[in-house]
Structures are given as C-alpha cells and as structure tokens.
Amino acid sequence: MSRIVYVNGAYLPAESAGISIFDRGLLFGDAVYEVTAVIDGGLVDFHAHQQRLRRSLGELGIDFDPASIDLMGIHQGLRDRNGLDEGLIYLQISRGVADRDFLQPEGLEPSILLFSQALPLIDSPAAERGLAVITREDLRWGRRDIKTTQLLYPSMMKTEAVGGGADDVWMVDNGTVTEGSSSNAHILTADGRLITRGLSHDILHGITRAAVLDYAREAGLEIEERPFTVAEAQQAREAFATSATAFVMPVVSIDGQPIGDGRVGESVRRLRSLYIERSRERLTF
Ligand code: PLP
C-alpha cells in the first residue's frame, strides 16, 4: 500500500503528489515546518506545535492563518489513512508559488503539504545506548527560533558527525552550546541541577524542551536557564537532547570525552520515562 500524503487540499498517493518547481519553499527555503510525534495513535503536544507554527509564519510574514484550515483533521486524516500508530507527521507551509524573485511577493496562496512517517520512537536503541556527539561552530543564520526549512548546515554537520563515527553534532556559538542538529541540548550538574540555554533567537524554542522542563520542575528538579560551555558539558554528570521524535535522548560523550561514566545515567533515564508517561496522558486523538 502506498503512503497517502496531503498536498494543497488533497489526499494523494505519495508517488502522484507534487508541488510546483516555482514553490518558494523549494527555491528559497521560504517555508516553515513542524514535526509532531504520534504514539499509541495519538498526537503529542499538537496545540503547542500549532502555536509555534503560527509564530514562525508571523515572523516570516507569510500571510496565512493556520486556523483557517482544519490542520488537526488533516493530521488525523493522515494518521487514519496510513494506519499510523507510532511515528511522526511532518507539516510544511511555504509562502507559495511565484516567478523566482528575491523580493517576497505579497498575496500568494501558501503551499501546504503534510506526510506521515512510521518510526519506532519509544523503544529506541539509541536511547538505550546514548549518543556520542561532536561539537562544531554554529554557522547557521541568527534567527534559529523560526522553524524554517533552511536546514543545510545542520544536515551537513550531522552527516559529518555520523561519517566520523559519532551520532550527532552539538553546535557552539561564542564558546557556548546552542543546540543539536535537530534537538535542544541540556546537562545535569553533579548536584542535580538541569542547565539549559534560555530562549532567544539563538535556538529553536523546542516544544519537547518546554514539556520536559515542566515535568522536571514538577518532579522537584532545579532548573537554570543559561548558556553552558562545551567544557562544562563534558564535566557534567549527565547530558541529553530533546526533540519531538527523540523525546529525551541521553548523550554519553562529547568530542570523545565520556560524560560521567560514559553510560546512560539514571536521571536522564527517569526524565525520558517521565516524558513518555506524561505525553501519553495528554495525547490528542
Ligand atoms: N532545535 C532544532 C534546531 C530542531 O530542529 C529541533 C527539532 O526539529 C529542536 C531543537 C527540537 O524541537 P522540538 O522539541 O519542538 O521538536
């Protein structure tokens, strides 16, 4: 059975779906996206993703109100048509189609596409093993808080990391860690504080980050929102990354330096379980 995707109002088999070669998402990366996890057939943090989508569209001046179409219904439609129990739903909205011009045209009809991907998220070998990350200078643009489809640099850095035998990259700006190629970065200190970079234009305002901070706070963890250096991360007791599809992912080495004893630590393991448990209680069906 072929995968059913959604493009501009229609559900179609993936092979017969397409968008214009003049789409500004394709030519300029003039598009925003969201990735929402599906577990037990339910959507994780759907409304938070939609709020961030609205913000991203606003920051790029793409004149489209996401509430003007039934995005929830389309997510559910893709889930049902593809029998998706666990995995993700990807949503992309571009400014639309126009002759190639650096000047952003006004009044375009945005292009909207969504597709699903079945993936094991909960039983993750990577979460059992923990990730090895390398660090690289963060050479992305200065508005990393907008979830645009301009993903070339993090994609190159992830490829370099994996090519060198690691799992991912943590990017570094002025000596402090910004984030992973597609995740937020966090550490736990020897005395049990959770350190995570505060929200600014430097990083994507992760939906998983926000949920994990809430759950960690409720569980009594002390949280410090501030930048941390690579050296501080290497000295940390535990380290982890968060994203919609990785949930809470342990990081066990940075640039070859083991974190703690180099194995997945108890606190991160607990945070991952807590995140999955709480997300399951709040799914949208
Ligand atoms: N940072 C970057 C650069 C990302 O690409 C992502 C997710 O794709 C995240 C952080 C994590 O965000 P979220 O938890 O909303 O998936």
Side-chain angles (χ1 to χ4, degrees):
M1 194 185 84
S2 69
R3 193 172 1 166
I4 302 299
V5 303
Y6 175 97
V7 182
N8 292 329
Y11 290 97
L12 300 162
E15 312 79 68
S16 46
I19 57 159
S20 166
I21 64 158
F22 298 112
D23 192 275
R24 289 186 59 89
L26 182 63
L27 298 180
F28 290 97
D30 194 354
V32 300
Y33 76 107
E34 283 296 331
V35 175
T36 303
V38 174
I39 52 176
D40 306 338
L43 299 159
V44 179
D45 275 334
F46 177 80
H47 296 287
H49 284 284
Q50 296 308 299
Q51 268 172 24
R52 185 173 62 188
L53 173 68
R54 176 180 292 278
R55 177 177 183 275
S56 296
L57 288 164
E59 292 299 306
L60 292 193
I62 294 179
D63 185 19
F64 177 71
D65 176 4
S68 65
I69 58 169
D70 182 13
L71 282 174
M72 164 94 86
I74 300 168
H75 279 72
Q76 292 162 333
L78 281 179
R79 175 199 61 198
D80 296 345
R81 282 169 173 81
N82 292 293
L84 183 68
D85 186 55
E86 192 165 319
L88 63 86
I89 295 182
Y90 177 93
L91 153 68
Q92 175 172 322
I93 302 182
S94 83
R95 192 178 305 274
V97 176
D99 259 350
R100 187 174 182 276
D101 190 339
F102 276 73
L103 181 69
Q104 294 176 323
E106 286 183 14
L108 298 183
E109 189 71 35
S111 303
I112 301 166
L113 63 88
L114 290 94
F115 58 82
S116 62
Q117 214 169 317
L119 284 172
L121 303 180
I122 293 172
D123 290 327
S124 154
E128 284 306 309
R129 199 180 63 235
L131 303 183
V133 304
I134 59 166
T135 62
R136 287 292 179 270
E137 190 182 352
D138 194 340
L139 296 178
R140 296 172 301 162
W141 77 327
R143 290 302 309 272
R144 305 163 192 148
D145 56 311
I146 311 174
K147 198 164 170 68
T148 79
T149 58
Q150 304 181 95
L151 298 171
L152 184 57
Y153 185 71
S155 171
M156 287 170 70
M157 291 305 102
K158 168 133 188 180
T159 304
E160 189 176 316
V162 172
D167 298 293
D168 204 351
V169 61
W170 274 13
M171 293 178 280
V172 178
D173 198 2
N174 277 319
T176 58
V177 174
T178 51
E179 54 190 339
S181 64
S182 58
S183 59
N184 291 112
H186 323 268
I187 56 174
L188 290 164
T189 60
D191 58 359
R193 281 168 300 135
L194 192 166
I195 315 288
T196 191
R197 197 178 182 98
L199 298 181
S200 70
H201 290 174
D202 294 345
I203 60 167
L204 187 72
H205 301 185
I207 303 301
T208 320
R209 172 190 179 280
V212 168
L213 291 191
D214 280 351
Y215 304 153
R217 222 174 258 121
E218 285 165 20
L221 237 71
E222 196 185 320
I223 292 161
E224 260 180 52
E225 294 191 57
R226 61 163 175 83
F228 56 87
T229 64
V230 175
E232 189 178 4
Q234 287 171 323
Q235 303 303 315
R237 193 182 73 199
E238 296 181 47
F240 64 102
T242 55
S243 79
T245 53
F247 303 159
V248 172
M249 187 58 68
V251 168
V252 293
S253 76
I254 302 176
D255 288 335
Q257 167 86 38
I259 308 305
D261 65 5
R263 287 181 300 187
V264 175
E266 265 322 297
S267 303
V268 171
R269 211 184 278 282
R270 265 204 305 277
L271 270 180
R272 180 175 173 88
S273 301
L274 182 63
Y275 175 77
I276 293 171
E277 187 186 306
R278 298 298 307 276
S279 297
R280 277 188 152 140
E281 291 163 5
R282 308 167 56 230
L283 295 172
T284 308
F285 287 96

